[in-house]
Amino acid sequence: MMIGIRALKGGLAAALVMCALPAATVTGAVVASSAFGVSAAHAQSAASIVVEGNRRIEADTIRSYFKPGPNGRLDSVRIDDGLKALIETGLFQDVRIDQRGGRLVVIVVENQVIGRVAFEGNKKIKDEQLQAEVQSKPRGTLSRAMVQSDTLRISEIYRRSGRYDVHVVPKYIEQPNNRVDLVFEITEGKKTGIESINFIGNNAFSAYRLRSIIKTRESNILSFLSSGDIYDPDRVESDRDLIRRFYLKNGYADVQVIAALTEYDPGNKGFIVTFKIEEGQQYRVGSVGFESTIPGFDGNALRSLSRVSVGSVYNAEAVEKSVEDMTIESSRRGYAFASVKPRGDRNFEAHTVSIVFVASEGPRVYVERINVRGNTRTRDYVIRREFDLSEGDAYNRALIDRAERRLRNLDFFKSVKVTQEPGSSPDRVVVNVDLEEKSTGDFSVSGGYSSADGALGEISIAERNLLGRGLYAKASVQYGQYARGYSLSFVEPYLMGYRVALGMDLYQRQQLANRYLSYDSKTIGFSPRLGFQLREDLALQVRYSISQQEIKLPWQYQNCNNINPDGVNSFPVVAGDFGIATSCLSDGEASVPVKAGLAKGAVLTSAFGYTLTYNTLDNNKDPTTGILATLSQDFAGAGGDTRYIKTTGDVKLYQPVVSDIVGLIRVQGGIINGWGGGGSANVGNPNGDVRMLDNFQMGPNLVRGFAPLGIGPRDLNPLTTQDAMGGTKYWGATAELQMPFWFLPKEVGLKGAVYADVGSLWGYQGVTSYLGQNVSLVDPVTGIDTNSMRIRSSVGVGLIWASPFGPLRIDYAVPINKVTGDRIQEFRFGGGTTF
């Protein structure tokens, strides 16, 4: 950059400094005092300035930047200020000041006007997105400094999407009338992923385990289905906190994640991320105490809210949740400004932490205002209702933290940040909620295969934030080889402003006959429900359901009867084996309960029920520790054709056994009893309790290695289809070890399992004789009663894949104990996909 200098005087020397500004360059000479002395400068006025070179900008506009002094004249300082002001406008490519015949001359070269802004070579990022990011706009003034800034901005956008080999070159195409077209030529390059993720200093947990904690993923052959392997410095920094919190949750109170080092490997064109960890020692809880400095408030009243116990591994997350629960409880007891803080004293020799929860009177601060910002679609009230406090209430940090966690769990926003700032007075605070929204709609096309239902396809559309009101809606259609149907679901999470979720489901299911069933069944139903979150780990759902079920049989399975005999298939009531003649059995015949259900026609079931769920799993999709327990009961008989009480329970316990190997213990059971004769649907069995179609039907869902409907009471009449009768009682237990394949990347999501199952199904109480045909539950050869409580067991291995297409599982199990009539299926496959 060249600047001609004739002479410098006073403040005009500052013009040289301004040459570094991006708006313009000053290439001319500055008037010197020897040629245009102080007296001459004072002789000038703004109106007498001569402007040259301007084409679009009025001369008076340029003169207006030169402000005269009190005497109406321009001195050297004011000329210098005017020069700076012109440069800072960004309207000029060149500005010169000269003196001719005793008059001040301002010579300008205007910046060109941008005709259009275009992008070439961009395939992965659309023009609209880039257009919104660049500052250079059509019909705006061309600033080469701004173009350079736009070039860097475009490069940064591509880097954020994982393309660090991007090259952006701005091109200028000259047009008439001092106009120019601006074209950004983009070479996108290949995606730059994470080549490897390493850990230094981790002794307690393997690198394989820690990779499952963080969100950054290594690149693999399936990386095109997700974006977790794209290098994002913000995500890596967030991973540091996730690792730290994981260690704190598992007793390592002194842990430090010192650094997250990132190195680019130009050979493989990928990043190597290395986390440096100082674990320290694992601590256990030595003692738990409770204190209060609030007059009249006993700290021991908070003891029942503690989630930590003596002898357990120190868990910082449990301490945080205990503090939150205690603070809220103190507020409910009338101490609105109470603050509960944990005090931890380490015993470095014994590796224990003594925890004392101290309740004290906090500052009397009120919430002046809650500002919600960044929600362009979600209504304000959807966000505000997640706060258990409102404007004017006592400020409670625990309630603020809980609201922030709830907002994150909504899954409506990319980011949620809740901050506080001083209010209009010392006892007032303003709460700011800054949000960034994300897409909440889902459209999926799914496909899968299971041993029971065959091939199955599904199309579904769902919206988690319908109309920005926080409503959930989903519609889906399934069509498969043996299973078909549709479902509509709707959830209002805050019924009438209360934290009670109202859900409604409408569904229709059709199950076709297959090698496990001799009949078709069709069910249509409607079920409204209410959900209550009793605690963070305890939920209650109450429901009502009304459904109509109808079964159909091929004619050849129902033509042995004494109704309207046709002269061919008629038979005497007591003829042949099992009470029926064999002349109509050559083409097969369904079992008695199936035919009885067919005779009834459509059966209406009206039932009330509830489900209580206790969930402490660390991860609902891939748990490694915690308990998931459910208890359900349904009471049928509020109208309709059936009457029964059904109770089921299921408990799963996950616990790490050794490094990366997770143990699973599962216990389940159920019982169903009829009342009032079982209802009008109990055709042919007025003294029975439950019809066959309401019984429990078990197979691999209880003991793997058996076919669907493969265990339990069965009609062994050799002249029939020998249908499974189901049972009124069942129990089962499972012991399983799940382990990763260490030679495969964690991101593949593949692990193996070995297991043993044991269980039993018994207690059929339905129809045993109908229209001269009888049910035989006892093997005539061995005398074994399939209706008795006989144990089935198996051992097996499995392959579990948490694939991007959905969860897939393959099992191979060998039955150890089985009963006459059981159906075996050693190989089982199930899973689905969404794309």
Side-chain angles (χ1 to χ4, degrees):
M1 189 182 310
M2 299 293 295
I3 299 179
I5 305 176
R6 294 177 182 170
L8 298 174
K9 177 66 176 176
L12 292 179
L16 294 178
V17 179
M18 298 305 297
C19 72
L21 293 175
T25 60
V26 181
T27 59
V30 179
V31 181
S33 60
S34 58
F36 191 66
V38 175
S39 60
H42 277 286
Q44 300 295 313
S45 65
S48 65
I49 295 175
V50 178
V51 178
E52 296 181 356
N54 58 312
R55 303 177 66 177
R56 292 181 296 107
I57 304 171
E58 297 290 339
D60 286 342
T61 302
I62 297 174
R63 294 189 187 102
S64 67
Y65 285 91
F66 294 88
K67 309 295 183 183
N71 58 1
R73 300 296 178 179
L74 294 170
D75 56 20
S76 58
V77 174
R78 297 186 181 278
I79 294 174
D80 187 30
D81 290 341
L83 174 65
K84 293 178 183 178
L86 280 177
I87 293 172
E88 290 174 351
T89 63
L91 298 173
F92 305 102
Q93 181 180 347
D94 187 16
V95 179
R96 291 185 298 159
I97 295 181
D98 206 350
Q99 182 268 339
R100 298 177 191 166
R103 301 187 68 182
L104 190 66
V105 181
V106 179
I107 306 168
V108 298
V109 177
E110 294 178 350
N111 274 328
Q112 294 173 295
V113 176
I114 300 174
R116 68 185 182 97
V117 178
F119 307 92
E120 294 182 355
N122 56 310
K123 298 179 181 179
K124 302 300 180 181
I125 300 179
K126 296 181 179 180
D127 285 2
E128 293 78 7
Q129 184 178 349
L130 296 175
Q131 196 73 256
E133 295 291 342
V134 299
Q135 299 298 312
S136 300
K137 303 295 183 182
R139 296 183 297 279
T141 301
L142 176 68
S143 169
R144 295 182 184 271
M146 186 180 293
V147 171
Q148 185 62 29
S149 176
D150 290 338
T151 301
L152 296 175
R153 178 59 182 156
I154 294 172
S155 298
E156 179 63 21
I157 293 172
Y158 272 93
R159 290 191 178 99
R160 288 287 180 182
S161 64
R163 298 183 181 274
Y164 276 75
D165 281 342
V166 65
H167 295 282
V168 183
V169 179
K171 297 290 186 180
Y172 305 95
I173 303 176
E174 299 291 338
Q175 299 292 347
N177 300 320
N178 201 34
R179 301 176 72 86
V180 63
D181 290 342
L182 175 59
V183 179
F184 292 97
E185 294 184 351
I186 303 171
T187 304
E188 294 180 325
K190 294 183 178 180
K191 187 175 72 171
T192 311
I194 305 295
E195 181 183 344
S196 66
I197 301 174
N198 304 315
F199 301 88
I200 298 176
N202 57 307
N203 298 313
F205 301 99
S206 68
Y208 191 95
R209 181 73 177 96
L210 294 178
R211 289 191 189 102
S212 67
I213 301 302
I214 61 179
K215 295 182 178 179
T216 303
R217 296 286 182 261
E218 291 181 350
S219 297
N220 57 74
I221 58 175
L222 299 175
S223 294
F224 69 94
L225 295 170
S226 65
S227 60
D229 70 316
I230 296 174
Y231 173 67
D232 184 342
D234 294 336
R235 183 190 292 151
V236 171
E237 190 62 28
S238 175
D239 287 339
R240 288 182 62 186
D241 184 61
L242 290 176
I243 295 172
R244 184 184 67 86
R245 295 182 67 87
F246 173 74
Y247 270 93
L248 289 174
K249 184 179 178 180
N250 287 276
Y252 293 85
D254 299 325
V255 66
Q256 293 185 53
V257 184
I258 300 173
L261 307 177
T262 304
E263 180 183 359
Y264 180 69
D265 183 354
N268 294 318
K269 293 186 178 181
F271 285 92
I272 301 173
V273 180
T274 304
F275 295 95
K276 297 184 68 175
I277 304 170
E278 286 187 1
E279 292 181 332
Q281 296 294 324
Q282 187 184 50
Y283 288 82
R284 290 186 174 272
V285 179
S287 63
V288 181
F290 304 87
E291 297 179 1
S292 173
T293 61
I294 304 174
F297 182 67
D298 184 6
N300 287 313
L302 303 175
R303 184 177 297 275
S304 63
L305 300 173
S306 174
R307 302 193 182 195
V308 295
S309 58
V310 176
S312 64
V313 174
Y314 172 75
N315 186 334
E317 183 178 293
V319 173
E320 290 176 3
K321 291 181 178 179
S322 298
V323 168
E324 182 179 291
D325 292 342
M326 293 175 184
T327 303
I328 294 171
E329 179 62 22
S330 301
S331 178
R332 289 173 178 169
R333 290 174 177 243
Y335 301 92
F337 299 98
S339 173
V340 179
K341 295 182 180 179
R343 186 178 68 234
D345 297 322
R346 293 182 179 87
N347 185 325
F348 297 100
E349 295 179 356
H351 303 307
T352 60
V353 179
S354 297
I355 302 173
V356 179
F357 294 98
V358 181
S360 59
E361 190 75 30
R364 292 183 172 270
V365 179
Y366 297 88
V367 178
E368 179 178 335
R369 191 170 63 255
I370 299 177
N371 296 325
V372 180
R373 302 181 296 211
N375 56 315
T376 57
R377 180 168 175 265
T378 306
R379 308 294 179 91
D380 266 19
Y381 73 85
V382 174
I383 299 161
R384 293 179 183 274
R385 69 189 183 188
E386 299 300 330
F387 288 82
D388 289 329
L389 49 74
S390 56
E391 293 161 346
D393 289 348
Y395 176 78
N396 189 314
R397 179 67 198 182
L399 294 179
I400 296 293
D401 292 340
R402 171 178 284 188
E404 183 172 5
R405 186 168 64 251
R406 286 173 175 171
L407 288 172
R408 295 182 189 278
N409 292 338
L410 288 177
D411 200 25
F412 296 169
F413 311 103
K414 286 183 180 178
S415 64
V416 177
K417 187 176 182 181
V418 180
T419 57
Q420 295 81 42
E421 63 183 38
S424 58
S425 61
D427 64 342
R428 295 289 187 272
V429 65
V430 175
V431 178
N432 295 318
V433 184
D434 292 295
L435 309 164
E436 182 182 357
E437 293 188 310
K438 67 177 182 181
S439 174
T440 55
D442 295 306
F443 174 78
S444 66
V445 179
S446 306
Y449 178 85
S450 73
S451 303
D453 297 329
L456 180 69
E458 179 183 71
I459 298 177
S460 68
I461 183 170
E463 173 58 60
R464 300 190 305 277
N465 188 14
L466 185 65
L467 304 175
R469 299 176 182 270
L471 306 174
Y472 174 84
K474 181 179 180 180
S476 63
V477 177
Q478 305 88 27
Y479 192 89
Q481 189 174 358
Y482 301 118
R484 299 165 188 174
Y486 64 84
S487 63
L488 300 173
S489 298
F490 173 83
V491 178
E492 163 57 86
Y494 279 79
L495 180 62
M496 300 179 67
Y498 294 95
R499 198 176 294 278
V500 177
L502 169 66
M504 290 181 285
D505 299 301
L506 176 66
Y507 59 90
Q508 188 264 339
R509 293 192 297 264
Q510 185 177 8
Q511 183 71 50
L512 302 182
N514 52 55
R515 56 178 173 163
Y516 309 114
L517 289 172
S518 63
Y519 53 89
D520 298 344
S521 67
K522 182 178 180 181
T523 305
I524 183 169
F526 173 70
S527 177
R529 62 188 188 277
L530 294 175
F532 305 86
Q533 193 69 37
L534 305 180
R535 292 188 334 205
E536 189 171 350
D537 56 2
L538 188 64
L540 172 67
Q541 181 192 92
V542 295
R543 61 185 173 273
Y544 169 75
S545 62
I546 182 168
S547 62
Q548 179 178 280
Q549 185 180 36
E550 185 176 7
I551 64 173
K552 293 183 179 180
L553 272 173
W555 172 248
Q556 68 268 21
Y557 289 164
Q558 56 176 317
N559 58 359
C560 285
N561 58 70
N562 281 323
I563 301 175
N564 299 322
D566 56 12
V568 177
N569 290 322
S570 61
F571 57 91
V573 174
V574 185
D577 295 332
F578 298 96
I580 58 176
T582 59
S583 59
C584 59
L585 295 173
S586 59
D587 54 1
E589 192 73 7
S591 296
V592 164
V594 178
K595 296 171 69 174
L598 178 68
K600 173 60 182 177
V603 174
L604 185 68
T605 299
S606 175
F608 288 93
Y610 72 88
T611 298
L612 191 64
T613 303
Y614 177 72
N615 187 348
T616 62
L617 299 181
D618 60 338
N619 186 316
N620 288 331
K621 291 184 178 180
D622 186 19
T624 60
T625 183
I627 297 174
L628 175 62
T630 60
L631 173 65
S632 297
Q633 278 195 309
D634 289 284
F635 306 87
D641 303 318
T642 60
R643 297 175 185 173
Y644 61 78
I645 301 175
K646 179 188 292 187
T647 304
T648 60
D650 191 352
V651 179
K652 297 178 183 178
L653 169 65
Y654 293 86
Q655 184 67 38
V657 179
V658 295
S659 180
D660 301 329
I661 298 180
V662 177
L664 164 63
I665 298 295
R666 181 183 183 184
V667 179
Q668 56 179 317
I671 183 170
I672 181 171
N673 288 314
W675 62 277
S680 60
N682 215 353
V683 176
N685 185 29
N687 298 319
D689 289 331
V690 183
R691 68 183 186 127
M692 185 201 74
L693 294 176
D694 292 326
N695 279 338
F696 299 112
Q697 300 285 357
M698 293 294 172
N701 53 337
L702 188 68
V703 181
R704 284 164 285 195
F706 292 87
L709 287 74
I711 65 175
R714 183 177 299 277
D715 182 7
L716 298 180
N717 186 332
L719 304 178
T720 68
T721 53
Q722 297 191 342
D723 294 292
M725 301 292 96
T728 59
K729 305 176 185 68
Y730 77 91
W731 65 268
T734 295
E736 180 171 300
L737 291 178
Q738 298 178 358
M739 62 209 72
F741 295 105
W742 291 275
F743 55 88
L744 293 176
K746 171 71 177 178
E747 290 69 25
V748 174
L750 198 64
K751 57 184 178 181
V754 295
Y755 54 83
D757 293 339
V758 62
S760 182
L761 172 68
W762 75 100
Y764 172 73
Q765 299 175 359
V767 180
T768 58
S769 178
Y770 180 66
L771 297 179
Q773 183 176 333
N774 300 323
V775 172
S776 177
L777 299 175
V778 179
D779 184 357
V781 178
T782 64
I784 294 176
D785 185 1
T786 64
N787 198 30
S788 61
M789 199 279 286
R790 293 185 174 272
I791 294 176
R792 281 84 164 176
S793 64
S794 68
V795 294
V797 296
L799 192 63
I800 307 168
W801 186 23
S803 77
F805 309 103
L808 302 174
R809 177 157 182 155
I810 301 174
D811 284 300
Y812 180 79
V814 179
I816 303 299
N817 297 99
K818 55 186 177 180
V819 177
T820 301
D822 287 349
R823 302 291 188 262
I824 306 302
Q825 185 187 76
E826 296 179 340
F827 179 81
R828 183 170 181 252
F829 173 83
T833 179
T834 299
F835 51 89

